[in-house]
Amino acid sequence: MQTLPRPAHLALVLTYLVLSAVPFFPLTLGLPLARPAQLAGMAVFAWIAVWAVFKRPACFHWLLLPAFIALPAELYLYAYYGQGISTHHLGIMAETSPLEAMEFLGARAWLMLAVMVGVVAWWAATWKIALATRDFDWNDRSRPLVLGLVIIAAVLFAYGQKVGVTGAPVKPDPAANMRYVASATPLIAPSILPPLPRWTQPPFEVKAFAQSWPFGVVARGLDFYKERVYLADLHRRSAAFRFDAVQADPANTPDVIVMVLGESARFDRWSLNGYARPTNPLLSQEPNLVSMSDLITSVSATRLSVPVIISRKPAMQSLKDGFTEKSFLTAFKEAGYKTYWLSNQISFGKFDTPVSVFAKEADAVEFLNLGGFTDNSNYDEVLFKPFARALADPAPKKLIVLHTLGSHWNYAHRYPARFDQWKPSLVGVHKPVLTDTSMESQLNNSYDNSILYTDWFLAQLVAQLKTGERAAALMYVADHGQTLFDGACRQVFHGHNNQHEFHVPAFAWYSDAYGARFPDKVAQLRAHRTAPLSTENIFHTLVDLGDIHYPGETLERSIASARLARHKRYVDSYGWADYDNARIKGDCREVIDKGTPLPRK
């Protein structure tokens, strides 16, 4: 076959170089890049391995199609959110309708479409070049040698993953602060085969390969697939479950019930609850708001606390993945409500999938945060538009759940500049270290500013619910609190066993029309505002506010019921400690059971 002119060959080589250089794109935006040499090394190794296996570019060029297709999204996410494609982004792309995508992108949608058409044309043109030439075929005797080495490396890697490696260091868990991540039960008995020596393993972090390009894109896709399988398994466990829920009086129902899931909010930093700084100037003016002064969460980790809030999952089962029942979303659906899950958190990942499995029960699901928890995240007000659309929906009865970012670290990234009231704050501090005690003042000021913004955000929701004559009720509860260098306590963030993280803010608000329609429920809410409560009360209370009943209901757990009864409140502190039979130790306010904590199971 006649070889193609040199320019065509050059175009093919440049294409492969450009694709390999994608991980270095953040440098052009002034963003840091971890281990650039390692990324380059992984790319070179991948190219050699693929070329050795397939011999010629025409045979492996199809493998590059995912990288071409993903390229516009990767560059877009880096340009606007400072990060590349993750499993969360793949989940949003897979589940977002074209109409929602067009609305989100606005005028950029047509630009993205044009770029997508361009990269597909680019792939097709280079594939044609690869197909037409044999000049890049790997025909000499080095190929069998390299191929053999690649096979040996693959076998050693698979063996090491299965059996283990001698002297392998314990890698730090990114969830080190989250003490509550339950250990997975091994599916296969420990192997009797000997472990490999440490030198046989790759000289790079295997997980880091997903950040390389173009073949690392496949690794990201596999991670996403694993999350989908895990999600499907969680869904399968509860697929057949039904509450058999019904409306108590179909002719006299609430119009709208709203559940707001807060994030990292601490009870004693709300002026609504007695804090000296006016962090709740708007909510404190609401006469129909009932703040719960003694409500606790049992665990201080979102992925474990939220399932207890939105389902009947017992607190002492919160360390276990999955649950055989569905959430209050299904109870409301069975009773004739249209349900919405609107989230400014992320949908997929080690700490998020257990929550998103419940979100999938809703009729309408929107995950709006492409930035994760970075400084490029959306403010919670991004939820206003979908919330307004949900309110305008002609469905006669609606349940709307909003999952907020609240006061998640970095606190200064959770509010716009106009809410930077207490200073000095973390605004303008480049990459503050969470555990740096010299930043105590800035950290605390920014945290209070984030609560001030939360107050404004919640007040806007209430204002929208006041329009018209809706019989509406709203509940708010935080998933857990925060430790903030309190006194002599040098702890910060969450994942500790102290009162600052277990005691969370919570309140219920009702419209005048709701109060007129359900005066008994309102009276009970007010009567129980100081009762000892936990997040185990929320499911039952929300369903009760919707005036929904089902066989086996537990009104003894509803704050809006005259049948409310006190229950044991356990928190994860050296086992399951009885919160109401505990002493509070030191400035960290560590919860220590006066008796013997129950063992974790």
Side-chain angles (χ1 to χ4, degrees):
M1 178 181 291
Q2 185 178 358
T3 59
L4 291 177
R6 286 287 178 185
H9 294 183
L10 184 60
L12 190 63
V13 172
L14 286 176
T15 291
Y16 294 161
L17 287 174
V18 168
L19 289 177
S20 301
V22 168
F24 300 90
F25 176 69
L27 294 176
T28 67
L29 303 174
L31 299 173
L33 181 65
R35 300 182 296 272
Q38 190 178 96
L39 279 172
M42 286 187 290
V44 170
F45 176 81
W47 277 111
I48 292 173
V50 169
W51 219 306
V53 170
F54 291 96
K55 185 179 178 180
R56 59 181 299 223
C59 295
F60 65 71
H61 200 78
W62 284 94
L63 295 177
L64 303 178
L65 185 57
F68 275 91
I69 293 174
L71 184 57
E74 180 85 352
L75 300 182
Y76 176 87
L77 288 169
Y78 266 121
Y80 288 96
Y81 296 96
Q83 58 182 291
I85 297 171
S86 67
T87 54
H88 165 58
H89 299 126
L90 291 173
I92 290 179
M93 293 173 195
E95 296 168 8
T96 300
S97 70
L99 185 61
E100 289 172 340
M102 294 285 285
E103 181 179 297
F104 175 79
L105 292 170
R108 294 191 296 262
W110 296 108
L111 176 61
M112 287 287 288
L113 182 60
V115 172
M116 185 67 70
V117 171
V119 295
V120 172
W122 178 20
W123 174 86
T126 48
W127 178 71
K128 185 177 179 181
I129 294 172
L131 191 64
T133 183
R134 303 303 296 261
D135 289 355
F136 293 114
D137 287 15
W138 193 341
N139 290 317
D140 61 50
R141 285 177 293 180
S142 65
R143 178 173 173 258
L145 175 63
V146 172
L147 190 57
L149 291 174
V150 167
I151 293 172
I152 291 171
V155 170
L156 288 174
F157 173 73
Y159 185 93
Q161 291 292 104
K162 179 81 170 180
V163 177
V165 180
T166 302
V170 177
K171 297 173 184 176
D173 187 344
N177 288 314
M178 309 288 188
R179 299 182 296 105
Y180 315 107
V181 178
S183 300
T185 303
L187 299 177
I188 302 173
S191 175
I192 59 173
L193 297 172
L196 286 173
R198 187 175 174 184
W199 61 264
T200 61
Q201 291 304 288
F204 53 79
E205 288 283 344
V206 176
K207 288 183 179 180
F209 178 70
Q211 302 307 313
S212 69
W213 207 275
F215 303 107
V217 176
V218 177
R220 300 188 209 186
L222 288 174
D223 283 343
F224 173 63
Y225 173 74
K226 290 177 184 177
E227 290 292 340
R228 295 291 292 191
V229 170
Y230 176 55
L231 188 66
D233 180 61
L234 292 179
H235 177 72
R236 177 188 55 78
R237 297 185 209 177
S238 62
F241 180 82
R242 283 187 58 84
F243 290 99
D244 294 320
V246 295
Q247 197 78 61
D249 181 2
N252 187 39
T253 65
D255 301 315
V256 182
I257 301 293
V258 178
M259 178 73 232
V260 182
L261 299 171
E263 168 68 57
S264 303
R266 181 166 143 167
F267 177 87
D268 65 356
R269 291 302 185 93
W270 287 45
S271 58
L272 198 64
N273 302 321
Y275 188 42
R277 281 180 169 175
T279 52
N280 300 120
L282 300 177
L283 292 180
S284 61
Q285 297 177 33
E286 292 294 337
N288 292 358
L289 186 147
V290 183
S291 179
M292 310 302 167
S293 64
D294 189 11
L295 190 145
I296 65 163
T297 184
S298 296
V299 286
S300 56
T302 301
R303 73 186 294 269
L304 304 177
S305 63
V306 171
V308 175
I309 294 171
I310 65 178
S311 75
R312 295 192 296 184
K313 187 175 187 178
M316 291 175 65
Q317 289 185 26
S318 59
L319 307 189
K320 299 178 180 179
D321 282 337
F323 187 47
T324 56
E325 293 187 8
K326 294 184 178 179
S327 73
F328 55 57
L329 287 156
T330 291
F332 275 84
K333 285 173 68 174
E334 290 176 1
Y337 282 76
K338 185 169 183 179
T339 57
Y340 301 79
W341 184 282
L342 310 176
S343 178
N344 193 29
Q345 296 235 356
I346 63 178
S347 56
F348 289 98
K350 185 175 182 179
F351 306 113
D352 307 285
T353 306
V355 175
S356 64
V357 69
F358 288 110
K360 303 299 181 187
E361 296 174 28
D363 295 308
V365 182
E366 289 189 56
F367 287 95
L368 299 161
N369 184 356
L370 289 176
F373 302 118
T374 69
D375 57 347
N376 293 293
S377 302
N378 300 317
Y379 300 128
D380 281 333
E381 61 198 77
V382 72
L383 297 170
F384 286 162
K385 286 186 178 179
F387 181 67
R389 286 197 300 269
L391 288 180
D393 191 293
K397 298 186 296 184
K398 294 177 278 284
L399 167 71
I400 307 171
V401 181
L402 298 102
H403 196 185
T404 66
L405 264 185
S407 299
H408 194 288
W409 174 262
N410 179 338
Y411 312 132
H413 296 159
R414 301 297 160 247
Y415 57 87
R418 67 184 186 277
F419 288 91
D420 195 40
Q421 178 169 324
W422 291 287
K423 299 176 181 180
S425 71
L426 294 173
V427 172
V429 178
H430 182 62
K431 289 190 174 180
V433 178
L434 181 66
T435 55
D436 184 357
T437 56
S438 69
M439 303 294 292
E440 179 178 349
S441 178
Q442 292 95 318
L443 181 144
N444 275 275
N445 287 336
S446 279
Y447 184 81
D448 287 350
N449 291 333
S450 73
I451 299 298
L452 182 67
Y453 177 70
T454 294
D455 174 78
W456 175 81
F457 168 79
L458 292 169
Q460 305 313 302
L461 298 181
V462 168
Q464 289 195 58
L465 292 174
K466 286 180 180 179
T467 59
E469 295 296 324
R470 295 188 183 95
L474 177 149
M475 281 204 75
Y476 168 90
V477 65
D479 54 359
H480 55 75
Q482 291 281 276
T483 303
L484 299 165
F485 293 132
D486 298 278
C489 180
R490 296 297 86 190
Q491 293 179 349
V492 70
F493 200 55
H494 59 271
H496 311 100
N497 54 339
N498 63 53
Q499 189 180 45
H500 299 305
E501 298 175 25
F502 294 138
H503 191 191
V504 294
F507 68 81
W509 173 90
Y510 56 91
S511 68
D512 291 338
Y514 184 95
R517 197 173 297 181
F518 301 101
D520 292 343
K521 296 184 189 298
V522 168
Q524 293 304 322
L525 284 173
R526 293 192 172 278
H528 298 140
R529 64 195 311 160
T530 61
L533 306 166
S534 78
T535 50
E536 289 180 296
N537 291 100
I538 302 300
F539 171 95
H540 306 279
T541 303
L542 199 74
V543 172
D544 192 10
L545 289 175
D547 205 31
I548 295 170
H549 295 279
Y550 56 91
E553 65 185 1
T554 311
L555 288 173
E556 290 79 7
R557 290 290 178 91
S558 171
I559 309 169
S561 171
R563 291 165 55 183
L564 177 70
R566 186 165 183 165
H567 66 281
K568 284 272 191 181
R569 301 192 294 172
Y570 289 102
V571 294
D572 184 24
S573 182
Y574 304 110
W576 289 111
D578 183 347
Y579 184 83
D580 296 307
N581 184 42
R583 61 187 178 91
I584 306 301
K585 177 183 175 182
D587 284 352
C588 288
R589 302 194 66 78
E590 193 175 26
V591 178
I592 309 294
D593 198 317
K594 293 177 182 177
T596 302
L598 298 176
R600 299 187 184 100
K601 295 181 181 179

